[in-house]
Amino acid sequence: METVVFVLMILVCFNFMLKQTYRKLRSVLVISVICALFVGLMWPYAIEQSKTQVADWLANPALMLDTSVVLSVEVVLQMTFCMLAAHIQSAGPVKKRVLWAYKALRWFPGILVFPVLFCGLVALIFSFPGVSFSLIAWSMAAAVFILIPAGSFLLRWLLPEKELRLELLFLANALIAILGIIATVNGRTAVKGIDEIDWGALAGLTILLVAGALVGMILRKVKLKRQTN
């Protein structure tokens, strides 16, 4: 479970860095300052945590389900950004509302990166006992401020094609969605298994599928006839 969450946190950071490659340097610096201030100012709350408390959070089904809702919303927004970006690049002139939606989503940095930064701060404080908490926090804040623009520049240098970065961002978000389901289920099943087959429901589903296929074929033939005429 902890391994899945750790991989999920790495993917969230990677997605965050990859998203910055679509912004200008000024925007990246603004987001870097926000993240750095978040890390530097959260140390009074980070020192109140404990390793056992973090483990209890991961084992809490209700909390993990709430987290899955936030994760799902972010994944949907990031995937929407990818689809809008691909649409704008390939469709030519687009409507203003589509362009405004794309700009708004491009500015959306993601909210999952902040819990990840907080968890990193807690882990760093536990790793250096006896060191000033504020010193650890502001040192990490300085590292975050440097690493975000540097990582964005490195990804842009390694992947100069926007289309490739966009596809990678979409696939990474899909992987986050899958890992989020695994992490939030946490060994539980939402539906109790059954041994019997509901033949009536199966027959109804089959009839619906066949009827839908027939309607689709008829509509396609009608459309082709209209195009030929």
Side-chain angles (χ1 to χ4, degrees), residues 19-20 22-24 31 78 81 100-109 162:
K19 184 72 175 292
Q20 306 312 309
Y22 290 93
R23 297 189 179 94
K24 296 181 180 179
I31 295 175
Q78 300 291 8
F81 165 77
W100 279 108
Y102 167 75
K103 290 182 178 180
L105 291 175
R106 187 178 63 180
W107 269 95
F108 176 69
K162 285 186 177 181

Side-chain angles (χ1 to χ4, degrees), residues 19 23 32-33 46 51-52 71 73 76 78 95 99 113 137 142 149 168-169 194 199 201 220 225:
K19 184 72 175 292
R23 297 189 179 94
S32 301
V33 170
K51 290 185 177 180
T52 57
L71 186 144
V73 171
V76 168
Q78 300 291 8
K95 297 180 179 179
L99 192 59
V113 68
L168 186 59
L169 181 62
I194 57 174
W199 294 104
R220 184 173 181 274
K225 286 183 179 180

Side-chain angles (χ1 to χ4, degrees), residues 21-56:
T21 60
Y22 290 93
R23 297 189 179 94
K24 296 181 180 179
L25 180 60
R26 185 181 303 174
S27 304
V28 176
L29 291 177
V30 170
I31 295 175
S32 301
V33 170
I34 294 173
C35 292
L37 289 176
F38 175 82
V39 173
L41 297 175
M42 288 301 290
W43 70 265
Y45 303 96
I47 61 176
E48 296 178 358
Q49 314 306 319
S50 64
K51 290 185 177 180
T52 57
Q53 186 174 1
V54 174
D56 292 339

Side-chain angles (χ1 to χ4, degrees), residues 129-200:
V131 183
S132 173
F133 300 136
S134 60
L135 177 61
I136 295 175
W138 287 108
S139 298
M140 180 178 172
V144 168
F145 178 76
I146 296 173
L147 287 176
I148 290 177
S152 174
F153 176 79
L154 180 62
L155 286 174
R156 192 175 299 177
W157 178 72
L158 292 174
L159 303 170
E161 299 87 359
K162 285 186 177 181
E163 295 80 7
L164 182 59
R165 296 200 305 268
L166 194 65
E167 184 177 354
L168 186 59
L169 181 62
F170 185 87
L171 293 176
N173 276 285
L175 184 57
I176 285 178
I178 296 172
L179 289 177
I181 295 173
I182 297 173
T184 52
V185 169
N186 195 16
R188 298 177 297 109
T189 55
V191 180
K192 184 179 179 181
I194 57 174
D195 297 329
E196 299 178 356
I197 299 176
D198 191 343
W199 294 104

Side-chain angles (χ1 to χ4, degrees), residues 65-126:
L65 288 175
D66 293 338
T67 306
S68 69
V69 175
V70 179
L71 186 144
S72 300
V73 171
E74 173 152 345
V75 167
V76 168
L77 291 176
Q78 300 291 8
M79 285 187 166
T80 304
F81 165 77
C82 295
M83 290 185 288
L84 286 178
H87 176 68
I88 291 174
Q89 292 176 6
S90 59
V94 294
K95 297 180 179 179
K96 287 186 177 181
R97 59 183 181 182
V98 176
L99 192 59
W100 279 108
Y102 167 75
K103 290 182 178 180
L105 291 175
R106 187 178 63 180
W107 269 95
F108 176 69
I111 54 179
L112 289 178
V113 68
F114 294 104
V116 171
L117 290 174
F118 183 76
C119 291
L121 178 60
V122 173
L124 198 63
I125 288 176
F126 281 126

